Amino acid sequence: MQDLAATVGELRGRPVNYDEQQAPPFVVDGWHQDRRVVVLGREAPGEPEPGGVVEQAGALVDAYEFSDPDILRAAFRWPGDLVGRDMLLEARFLLLRFVIGVRITAAHDEVREGADGPERVIGWSYQTLHGHLEQGRLTYEVAKNLATGTVEFRIIAYSRQAPIPNPVVRTGFRLFGRHTQLRFYQHALVRLHRLMQAPPCPPAPGPDGIVRAPSGVGAGRFEKWTLPFAHPGR
């Protein structure tokens, strides 16, 4: 991409690509609703410990380090406010690359009543922007049970296919999109659990002020042969 900073900046003019009043919990027909969970570790009961599992996991989630780069990569401006952050995602499938945008529209840091008692929950949610292959909202959260100290990473989402004008892309997404989505969720849980054993350094933006995530990932072996599609949906 010739000017990544400008491309990330262009997302500011893109609106969310669906009506929230026509999405869960108001409307559920036609939407996938997903919840995936992995236990990351344990702390002493009570609020999160300084430098503990919750704090480390939260930093990795904020930096988008959990994403499998073979499926999804991200670029965003850093530092900056979490809410309102525009993220340019690059979804990969075989030799195809889809450049799409999302915006973080909510941050979470609160005590909630969970299924097994009160929990401290931190994290954030993004929504899809015009041009994305999907429509929907995805939440990444780290939750600590205050009674037991168990810490989980959760992916909670609702989504559906966006209108896709290109018939080849539309057919391919219908055939492989859902499978790839579920594979991304599973890989994200496994990857974050593994990263907790040896957390990487905090992300470092390039000279353009843009972070490429996950960190330490370069161009693929067949990068020059890939075919990019920029904002192929609606």
Side-chain angles (χ1 to χ4, degrees), residues 48-168:
E49 303 171 358
V53 177
V54 174
E55 187 175 302
Q56 292 183 33
L60 292 171
V61 170
D62 285 355
Y64 211 66
E65 292 286 1
F66 57 83
S67 183
D68 180 348
D70 290 335
I71 302 175
L72 200 62
R73 304 181 185 195
F76 51 90
R77 190 165 295 281
W78 183 288
D81 293 335
L82 182 63
V83 176
R85 176 195 290 173
D86 290 322
M87 300 176 64
L88 188 72
L89 304 183
E90 184 185 75
R92 293 169 170 246
F93 181 76
L94 299 177
L95 294 181
L96 304 179
R97 292 185 292 128
F98 301 98
V99 178
I100 49 184
V102 300
R103 179 172 301 130
I104 297 178
T105 54
H108 314 290
D109 186 356
E110 59 190 346
V111 174
R112 301 178 192 163
E113 189 62 31
D116 298 313
E119 303 173 330
R120 168 64 67 179
V121 180
I122 64 171
W124 45 270
S125 303
Y126 73 53
Q127 293 176 274
T128 53
L129 301 181
H130 180 78
H132 202 291
L133 290 164
E134 294 179 313
Q135 298 174 333
R137 184 176 191 262
L138 197 153
T139 297
Y140 299 113
E141 62 182 34
V142 178
K144 177 182 178 180
N145 184 294
L146 299 181
T148 66
T150 301
V151 180
E152 296 179 340
F153 173 49
R154 300 169 181 166
I155 301 175
I156 303 166
Y158 62 77
S159 64
R160 67 182 180 188
Q161 180 178 317
I164 302 173
N166 185 305
V168 175

Side-chain angles (χ1 to χ4, degrees), residues 3 17 19 23 28 36 57 74 95 98 102-103 106 113 120 134 143 178 181-182 186-187 194 212 215 229 232 234:
D3 188 342
N17 66 347
D19 182 351
V28 297
R36 299 290 188 272
L95 294 181
F98 301 98
V102 300
R103 179 172 301 130
E113 189 62 31
R120 168 64 67 179
E134 294 179 313
R178 179 61 172 164
Q181 180 186 54
L182 295 177
Q186 183 60 34
H187 286 206
R194 177 174 56 81
R212 283 79 168 165
S215 58
F229 292 87
R234 289 180 180 168

Side-chain angles (χ1 to χ4, degrees), residues 170-188:
R170 183 170 63 248
T171 300
F173 190 84
R174 284 177 179 170
L175 291 174
F176 303 108
R178 179 61 172 164
H179 172 76
T180 302
Q181 180 186 54
L182 295 177
R183 187 163 62 94
F184 169 76
Y185 293 160
Q186 183 60 34
H187 286 206

